[in-house]
Amino acid sequence: MAAVGQSVSQGVIVVVERLEARVDLPQLPLPLTAQERTVMRGRRRTSCGRDVLLQLPRHGVLHPGDQLVDALRSCLVVVEAAPEALLRVQGFSTLSLLQAAYHLGNRHVALELHEQELFLLDDSVLAGMLETRGLQVSRCQRPFAPEGGAYARHSHP
C-alpha cells in the first residue's frame, strides 16, 4: 500500500480529503452514481479515464460539486452525479404523487422528489405497482439525487 499522498501505481490518484473552500487547480470530474456517493473507500475512474482511489473519512455522503484532493493538494477531483437508469413518475394530482411517495417510502425506496414528479431507480416491479395506482411511469437516463432521509447529516453552505 502506498503512503498517504503517493500514488498506488503510475496514474492512480489517492484522494484523502474533502475541501470546504474552493481552490484553483485543474479539475478532474468524477461521475458517481447515488450509491457510489455513499461509499468513501475504493477505486473509481474519472470521466477522462484517470484512476482514483478514495480513502476518505467515513462520515457523510459525497454530493455533486464536492472537491476531493490528495494529501499534497496537487490534484483536484470534483464529484459529479453520473446518469442512471431511472423511473420518472407523474401523477394526475398532487395527492396521487404524495400517496406514491408514501408507499415507496414504506418500502425504503430511495426517491428524488419534485413538485410534479418523482424519480427512483429503474425497477420493473415498482413500475408495475405505480402503474396499477394510475400513475404515469416512464424510463429515463439522468443523474439521481435522492433525498437523504430523516437521519442524513450533511449540508452545504
Side-chain angles (χ1 to χ4, degrees), residues 13 27-31 45-51:
I13 301 162
Q27 298 182 0
L28 294 171
L30 180 63
R45 182 161 291 183
T46 67
S47 58
C48 59
R50 294 283 308 269
D51 286 328

Side-chain angles (χ1 to χ4, degrees), residues 18 39-41 56-60:
R18 201 184 313 212
V39 180
M40 301 298 111
R41 305 281 172 148
L56 298 167
R58 297 178 193 263
H59 63 311

Side-chain angles (χ1 to χ4, degrees), residues 87-109:
L87 295 176
R88 178 182 184 210
V89 181
Q90 295 175 294
F92 50 88
S93 70
T94 303
L95 180 58
S96 67
L97 270 184
L98 185 59
Q99 289 170 331
Y102 171 82
H103 289 291
L104 292 165
N106 202 32
R107 291 169 175 78
H108 302 281
V109 173

Side-chain angles (χ1 to χ4, degrees), residues 124-145:
S124 59
V125 172
L126 293 176
M129 184 268 295
L130 293 164
E131 288 167 343
T132 62
R133 297 191 61 79
L135 297 155
Q136 180 183 349
V137 179
S138 58
R139 286 177 167 74
C140 63
Q141 190 82 17
R142 67 185 289 277
F144 184 44

Side-chain angles (χ1 to χ4, degrees), residues 63-127:
H63 294 276
D66 281 355
Q67 298 182 107
L68 313 174
V69 292
D70 61 358
L72 301 175
R73 294 186 177 208
S74 63
C75 188
L76 180 65
V77 175
V78 180
V79 175
E80 295 181 345
E84 301 186 56
L86 301 177
L87 295 176
R88 178 182 184 210
V89 181
Q90 295 175 294
F92 50 88
S93 70
T94 303
L95 180 58
S96 67
L97 270 184
L98 185 59
Q99 289 170 331
Y102 171 82
H103 289 291
L104 292 165
N106 202 32
R107 291 169 175 78
H108 302 281
V109 173
L111 286 177
E112 182 177 333
L113 306 170
H114 298 275
E115 286 187 35
Q116 303 296 318
E117 58 195 1
L118 307 173
F119 291 94
L120 61 141
L121 292 173
D122 192 349
D123 181 297
S124 59
V125 172
L126 293 176

